[in-house]
Amino acid sequence: MNAENQSAAAPSPFPPIADYAFLSDCHTGALVAPDGAVDWLCVPRFDAPSIFGTLLDREAGYFRLGPFGINHPTARAYEPGSNVLTTTWKTPSSWVEVRDGLTMGPRATEDTVTPHTRPPADDDADHLLVRTVRCLEGAVELELVCEPGFDYGRTPAEWTLVGGSRHTADATGAGVTVRLQTDLALGIEGNRARARHVLSAGEECYCVLSWGEGLAAPSDVGEAGRLLDATTGFWRRWLGRARIPDHRWRDPLQRSALAIKGLTYMPTGATVAALTTSLPETPGGERNWDYRYTWMRDTTFTLQALHFLNLDWEADEFMQFVADLEPTESGALQIMYGIDGRRELTESTRDDLTGYAGARPVRIGNGAYDQRQNDVFGSVLDSVLLHTRRSERLPRRLWPIVQSQAECAARRWRDPDQGIWEARGEPQHYVSSKLMGWVALDRASRLAELRADRELAAGWRAIADEIKDDILAHGLDARGVLRQHYDTDALDASTLLAAIFGFLPHDDERLRASVLAVADELTEHGFVLRYRTEETDDGLSGAEGTFLICSFWLVSALSIIGEEQRARDLMERLLRVASPLGLFAEEFDVDTGRHLGNFPQAFSHLALIEAAGRIIAAEQAQEFS
């Protein structure tokens, strides 16, 4: 079966993407498969090489804890209001409960593992993966297998028992050392550590993987359990600060908030686009990218979501990260940066890895980092305006960014670029890029007015008006529908941003026609495609799934133009295709019901919050009308 027609549900040793559970300590994250194996973990931070990479190659390392010979649990759920996972197993002779968490607790000392550039919070990562097991009934034969593959599986682990004990062992490879500590008796078998034990009703055991200062780890199951309890408490207190409306969509809003916080790199305030690299957008295909970086276009959606949820602390941390970024030689911000603010994200491929379900190549780094994408200016300046209105002040350190990005947008808006989707074909005059150029000058003008700089505000307003006139002259087809770029009549879901960013009034017929054209002509079973790949030169082969963010954008756009019931109907359908644990990947394959692309995807959850917020606001407005 080739990449052109491989099914997302083809028989495979790789679990479905949406079946993974996401753990986070806001420094790194892990994915736990239904069989109890940690198939993805990078230490000490999100963008470090993986030490468990079975997600991308079945020989690239994993860490399983669960009943021996049983691979399918009875139930999996997050402890309510947290990113701590509980898995319940039924075996022929027992009931067993496993708790998993990347633990967080009160900050005791300065973090030397992943140093902070932002002021440290009261709670921080312990740099521990903690796992506990409790036998509820009967007796269970428990198995622990820890087989790291350092540097994305390239370097097998070298194990050493510590202090002559069978309860502590260090694994080393590629310059990294992690410590496994457990109350089970370990045996070293080549490149893996393993333990087996019969656990009876009422008994508990634990294992911990540590990469923190001095490789410190809890010494008994009671301490391990207290670390997990403290972590659940951290997440619940954090969520308690959020403004979650008492609405039927309260649970997906809470899970989205927890996912976005979990994808935040606490030391700098950056947010990774997703936890993973190279999960395929096309089953078995080449549309595989590394998303463990921060995209500037996410800024405005991140700020919208955080401010809607009343999470102003996180919003401010993110804006301070943006303020610290180094611009290019032209003064523009890049489209993406490393979570530490680094500019160079050179892309390479790991041809030694099979890829998820055969999807190759596996990419490390992202070659789009130095592309010209003119939408970046609008995303940054819209976020600055959002933040300024919320905080009721414009920090001095943000004004130079406003000036530089407005000047870059004014200078470059007429130029073709690669567009919002980072197409690897020829540059075009993409409508969404022009639209975001208008956003940049429109928001810059408003910010200048807040500073009472009327001359600068008027100059930027004049350029914004010029961009709008250009789009309406060249970016509409004969039907009055916004098109992908000036030399085609093809549709593109990114034109939905015209509604979200207020480019045209909500009752403008051109806006209505554009939104309904996407809804009726750029969908599969009601879910939205970015564009039709056969109509777009994106430099790649193969089709792709529907993009979840685009579908959530359509929800927002339908609500804006007054199609409230149609917006609600689509929102309900989208919420029903969430993963079993309430998470979303980047794409959705409508034929198989499988998720595609990197996971969990911040953009999908950000767009969910924005779409839900619009509908909830409209419903509340109707209550008072």
Side-chain angles (χ1 to χ4, degrees):
M1 185 177 291
N2 61 42
E4 293 292 331
N5 59 10
Q6 179 174 318
S7 170
S12 169
F14 291 82
I17 290 169
D19 282 0
Y20 279 100
F22 167 53
L23 310 179
S24 173
D25 62 5
C26 298
H27 288 239
T28 190
L31 292 182
V32 186
D35 69 355
V38 177
D39 282 357
W40 185 253
L41 175 64
C42 302
V43 299
R45 61 189 215 179
F46 291 110
D47 58 351
S50 67
I51 64 169
F52 302 127
T54 305
L55 181 73
L56 298 177
D57 188 302
R58 301 317 280 172
E59 297 182 359
Y62 72 104
F63 179 18
R64 182 176 190 267
L65 180 67
F68 178 76
I70 304 291
N71 293 315
H72 301 284
T74 297
R76 301 167 82 217
Y78 286 113
E79 295 184 358
S82 83
N83 284 317
V84 174
L85 179 71
T86 299
T87 304
T88 305
W89 299 83
K90 169 69 176 75
T91 77
S93 61
S94 69
W95 285 89
V96 186
E97 181 183 85
V98 178
R99 297 176 77 198
D100 291 316
L102 287 165
T103 61
M104 304 183 73
R107 179 177 53 84
T109 60
E110 187 70 25
D111 189 341
T112 60
V113 177
T114 43
H116 288 248
T117 58
R118 304 272 80 78
D122 297 328
D123 295 279
D124 207 347
D126 296 324
H127 303 300
L128 297 173
L129 172 60
V130 178
R131 318 189 75 180
T132 64
V133 187
R134 181 162 60 106
C135 184
L136 305 174
E137 289 187 18
V140 60
E141 187 174 19
L142 192 68
E143 176 187 57
L144 181 159
V145 181
C146 187
E147 187 177 324
F150 295 96
D151 190 18
Y152 304 103
R154 180 176 286 167
T155 305
E158 294 183 6
W159 284 95
T160 305
L161 289 172
V162 177
S165 167
R166 283 194 173 272
H167 299 290
T168 307
D170 288 353
T172 301
V176 175
T177 298
V178 295
R179 175 165 293 174
L180 177 64
Q181 189 156 313
T182 177
D183 50 9
L184 304 177
L186 292 169
I188 307 303
E189 300 174 340
N191 302 314
R192 69 179 183 171
R194 191 164 69 95
R196 288 174 70 173
H197 176 66
V198 176
L199 205 64
S200 299
E203 292 183 336
E204 295 181 84
C205 65
Y206 83 104
C207 61
V208 173
L209 198 72
S210 171
W211 53 93
E213 184 74 26
L215 302 178
S219 57
D220 57 47
V221 67
E223 187 180 353
R226 287 190 291 274
L227 287 174
L228 288 171
D229 291 342
T231 303
T232 296
F234 163 80
W235 288 112
R236 288 176 175 170
R237 289 190 302 275
W238 177 83
L239 192 61
R241 291 180 17 231
R243 177 184 60 192
I244 307 291
D246 185 19
H247 188 271
R248 63 187 179 279
W249 296 335
R250 185 180 182 89
D251 284 348
L253 281 168
Q254 289 184 157
R255 181 49 51 195
S256 290
L258 288 163
I260 292 165
K261 176 66 172 178
L263 292 169
T264 300
Y265 184 58
M266 189 180 287
T268 65
T271 301
V272 291
L275 182 65
T276 56
T277 179
S278 301
L279 290 182
E281 298 173 9
T282 303
E286 63 176 338
R287 297 173 182 268
N288 318 315
W289 316 109
D290 193 343
Y291 273 15
R292 296 171 297 161
Y293 307 113
T294 296
W295 266 255
M296 287 299 96
R297 76 167 52 92
D298 291 10
T299 57
T300 186
F301 297 100
T302 301
L303 268 292
Q304 284 176 352
L306 292 174
H307 285 318
F308 172 74
L309 297 173
N310 216 34
L311 296 171
D312 297 339
W313 178 301
E314 283 71 21
D316 185 64
E317 294 290 279
F318 188 75
M319 285 309 302
Q320 300 310 321
F321 169 75
V322 172
D324 284 342
L325 293 174
E326 179 187 354
T328 65
E329 291 70 19
S330 69
L333 292 178
Q334 292 183 173
I335 65 167
M336 70 178 88
Y337 288 83
I339 56 175
D340 56 359
R342 73 186 188 281
R343 286 178 53 186
E344 291 192 12
L345 308 174
T346 305
E347 183 177 302
S348 61
T349 60
R350 292 299 300 264
D351 299 330
D352 52 312
L353 300 177
T354 65
Y356 175 87
R360 302 177 72 183
V362 171
R363 303 178 200 266
I364 307 300
N366 197 306
Y369 77 92
D370 59 356
Q371 280 188 358
R372 171 173 287 191
Q373 294 178 25
N374 294 338
D375 68 294
V376 64
F377 314 118
S379 299
V380 172
L381 294 185
D382 187 72
S383 66
V384 173
L385 181 62
L386 280 170
H387 189 61
T388 299
R389 285 176 168 169
R390 183 69 173 207
S391 63
E392 297 183 345
R393 61 178 57 85
L394 176 60
R396 181 187 294 269
R397 68 196 305 254
L398 289 180
W399 179 245
I401 292 177
V402 174
Q403 289 181 296
S404 63
Q405 299 317 290
E407 289 166 4
C408 287
R411 190 166 61 244
R412 284 172 42 177
W413 74 267
R414 293 185 181 277
D415 299 336
D417 71 341
Q418 307 303 137
I420 189 173
W421 306 125
E422 297 158 16
R424 301 199 176 191
E426 289 298 313
Q428 301 287 349
H429 291 281
Y430 287 99
V431 167
S432 61
S433 295
K434 310 288 186 190
L435 165 68
M436 294 307 291
W438 171 83
V439 171
L441 275 303
D442 175 80
R443 276 36 171 191
S445 176
R446 297 188 198 189
L447 286 162
E449 288 172 356
L450 290 174
R451 297 180 84 247
D453 192 331
R454 294 183 178 83
E455 183 178 352
L456 200 53
W460 284 340
R461 170 60 54 202
I463 301 172
D465 292 342
E466 185 180 0
I467 298 173
K468 175 176 278 192
D469 291 343
D470 191 77
I471 294 171
L472 296 179
H474 304 289
L476 295 168
D477 67 14
R479 302 179 296 169
V481 169
L482 290 168
R483 49 193 179 181
Q484 184 183 60
H485 60 76
Y486 285 4
D487 294 324
T488 183
D489 282 343
L491 295 173
D492 192 303
S494 63
T495 60
L496 293 169
L497 297 175
I500 293 171
F501 286 108
F503 177 71
L504 292 170
H506 68 91
D507 56 355
D508 189 290
E509 282 304 314
R510 294 164 295 187
L511 183 66
R512 181 177 182 82
S514 299
V515 172
L516 295 180
V518 170
D520 297 335
E521 302 169 30
L522 196 60
T523 55
E524 290 185 353
H525 304 289
F527 294 88
V528 183
L529 297 163
R530 292 192 299 179
Y531 47 76
R532 296 202 179 273
T533 53
E534 67 274 14
E535 296 177 342
T536 300
D537 175 22
D538 61 10
L540 298 165
S541 62
E544 60 185 17
T546 62
F547 261 64
L548 288 162
I549 184 174
C550 298
S551 295
F552 284 118
W553 283 351
L554 180 57
V555 171
S556 293
L558 287 168
S559 180
I560 289 166
I561 65 170
E563 293 285 340
E564 295 291 349
Q565 190 58 53
R566 195 168 178 180
R568 278 191 289 268
D569 291 347
L570 178 55
M571 188 71 179
E572 293 284 357
R573 292 189 65 193
L574 284 163
L575 295 178
R576 284 198 297 273
V577 305
S579 82
L581 290 169
L583 300 171
F584 288 89
E586 183 177 30
E587 299 183 27
F588 182 70
D589 187 299
V590 294
D591 293 326
T592 62
R594 294 288 184 97
H595 286 231
L596 295 169
N598 285 305
F599 178 84
Q601 179 81 4
F603 224 161
S604 298
H605 288 279
L606 292 168
L608 182 158
I609 293 170
E610 202 267 345
R614 288 191 183 274
I615 293 178
I616 291 170
E619 290 178 351
Q620 291 176 339
Q622 288 175 357
E623 291 178 6
F624 294 99
S625 62

